[in-house]
């Protein structure tokens, strides 16, 4: 299947989801605590790969004076985000930005906080933390969640899957080393619990599948997308002890 068809179907499947990847309001708040920001300050925040904005809204609730630029490649997600922001009364503080995480449209040194949940893999962790760094002011904070091995010796099946899907998967000490070499000091690290994968992501996504298949009746590509989604969920259920998202919070030197 060509990339355009795949992305179109993925956006259509996930558009109605509360979130487009594993996570939770609780873990967003905990990561924010690790960032040790002055909550009363008028800070500039960017949420990169924001999807329909689950983390964006949590940030807006917990940083009452922040201005947040919510950036995603897909306008369909941003339309949902803008509506959610309006309904929550945050229209003036959350701005939706259609763009690519590989070429951020912000002034250099302008961000106090650069947030990204379940999205940096699209650029790759090393490349992401390097190319995003100049957009933070010195002392500004980066908070990203990233696929991480919880133990160094995963079984063959899951090792092969991730090495094909995302060869940059590594253990937390390796990821932290990359951050330190790229010019950040670690403020904290947390592992997302399995409820953030199952109850908050795979189970709600499964609920969206029947209507998705109806919208795309007779299209083998849609069946393939469902197969991929279910395969990923099944691997998670069987190998949850071996990998998760690690949440890395680090300060730009
Ligand atoms: N942060 C959200 C969404 C995570 S899913 C959440 O936690 O719910 C990953 C997001 O990255 C998707 O919304 C996808 O559209 C976006 N994305 C993928 N490639 C991108 C790119 N090159 N630039 C910007 N966003 C991208």
């Amino acid at each position: 299947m060509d990339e355009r068809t795949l992305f179109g179907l993925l956006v259509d499947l996930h558009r109605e989801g509360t979130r487009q990847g594993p996570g939770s309001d609780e873990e967003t708040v905990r990561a924010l605590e690790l960032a040790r920001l002055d909550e009363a300050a008028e800070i500039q925040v960017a949420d990169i790969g924001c999807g329909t904005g689950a983390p964006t809204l949590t940030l807006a609730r917990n940083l009452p004076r922040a201005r947040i630029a919510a950036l995603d490649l897909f306008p369909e997600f941003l339309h949902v985000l803008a509506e959610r922001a309006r309904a929550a009364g945050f229209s003036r503080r959350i701005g939706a930005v259609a763009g690519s995480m590989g070429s951020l449209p912000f002034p250099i040194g302008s961000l106090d906080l650069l947030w990204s949940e379940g999205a940096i893999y699209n650029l790759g962790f090393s490349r992401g933390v390097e190319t995003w760094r100049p957009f933070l002011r010195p002392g500004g904070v980066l908070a990203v969640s990233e696929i991480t091995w919880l133990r160094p010796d995963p079984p063959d099946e899951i090792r092969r899957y991730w090495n094909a899907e995302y060869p940059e998967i590594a253990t937390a000490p390796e990821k932290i080393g990359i951050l330190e070499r790229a010019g950040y000091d670690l403020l904290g690290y947390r592992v997302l619990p399995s409820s953030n994968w199952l109850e908050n992501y795979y189970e709600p996504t499964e609920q969206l599948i029947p209507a998705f298949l109806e919208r795309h009746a007779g299209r083998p590509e849609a069946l393939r997308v469902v197969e991929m989604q279910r395969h990923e969920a099944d691997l998670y259920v069987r190998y949850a002890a071996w990998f998760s998202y690690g949440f890395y919070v680090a300060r730009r030197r």
Side-chain angles (χ1 to χ4, degrees):
M1 166 174 12
D2 64 80
E3 205 167 62
R4 229 177 121 210
T5 308
L6 175 65
F7 282 175
L9 287 167
L10 284 174
V11 169
D12 188 61
L13 172 62
H14 289 283
R15 193 176 40 184
E16 284 166 30
T18 303
R19 52 178 67 246
Q20 284 69 41
S24 64
D25 294 345
E26 294 75 20
E27 290 300 324
T28 298
V29 169
R30 290 196 177 121
L32 191 55
E33 285 163 5
L34 293 175
R36 288 184 250 148
L37 296 162
D38 177 1
E39 283 169 26
E42 282 185 34
I43 59 172
Q44 299 294 326
V45 180
D47 183 7
I48 308 300
C50 57
T52 63
T56 324
L57 294 168
T58 304
L59 291 174
R61 269 192 295 275
N62 288 277
L63 296 169
R65 300 185 70 197
R67 301 198 73 87
I68 307 176
L71 180 138
D72 204 277
L73 196 55
F74 297 106
E76 295 92 325
F77 285 154
L78 295 173
H79 294 149
V80 178
L81 176 143
E83 178 49 32
R84 289 172 85 183
R86 195 196 57 74
F90 295 139
S91 291
R92 299 181 61 168
R93 293 200 292 119
I94 295 178
V97 183
S100 169
M101 61 173 72
S103 52
L104 298 180
F106 309 121
I108 295 296
S110 65
L111 300 175
D112 299 290
L113 176 63
L114 195 159
W115 204 267
S116 183
E117 291 194 36
I120 195 172
Y121 70 88
N122 288 292
L123 204 54
F125 185 80
S126 296
R127 203 170 140 214
V129 303
E130 279 167 25
T131 57
W132 295 350
R133 185 176 178 274
F135 296 97
L136 282 166
R137 65 165 170 79
V141 175
L142 171 83
V144 293
S145 66
E146 160 76 345
I147 287 284
T148 300
W149 289 127
L150 302 180
R151 317 187 204 175
D153 51 352
D156 264 2
E157 184 184 17
I158 194 64
R159 188 210 314 267
R160 270 189 270 110
Y161 174 80
W162 277 117
N163 284 345
E165 291 294 317
Y166 187 56
E168 274 193 66
I169 186 170
T171 60
E174 294 171 277
K175 296 285 172 190
I176 292 165
I178 290 168
L179 283 167
E180 288 172 343
R181 285 190 294 279
Y184 298 89
D185 295 316
L186 190 76
L187 293 172
Y189 161 70
R190 292 182 55 83
V191 176
L192 293 197
S194 66
S195 62
N196 284 211
W197 292 74
L198 298 172
E199 284 129 63
N200 292 359
Y201 178 57
Y202 287 131
E203 288 165 18
T205 304
E206 182 62 35
Q207 304 288 313
L208 302 174
I209 287 177
F212 169 78
L213 286 175
E214 253 176 59
R215 285 196 295 280
H216 302 282
R219 287 184 70 190
E221 295 95 336
L223 285 171
R224 178 77 193 114
V225 163
V226 167
E227 214 174 82
M228 281 159 49
Q229 176 72 26
R230 288 184 171 152
H231 180 55
E232 189 196 297
D234 172 63
L235 285 173
Y236 179 73
V237 169
R238 289 192 288 127
Y239 292 109
W242 298 90
F243 68 95
S244 187
Y245 268 106
F247 221 131
Y248 300 84
V249 183
R251 174 171 283 142
R252 180 191 160 169
R253 282 199 282 268

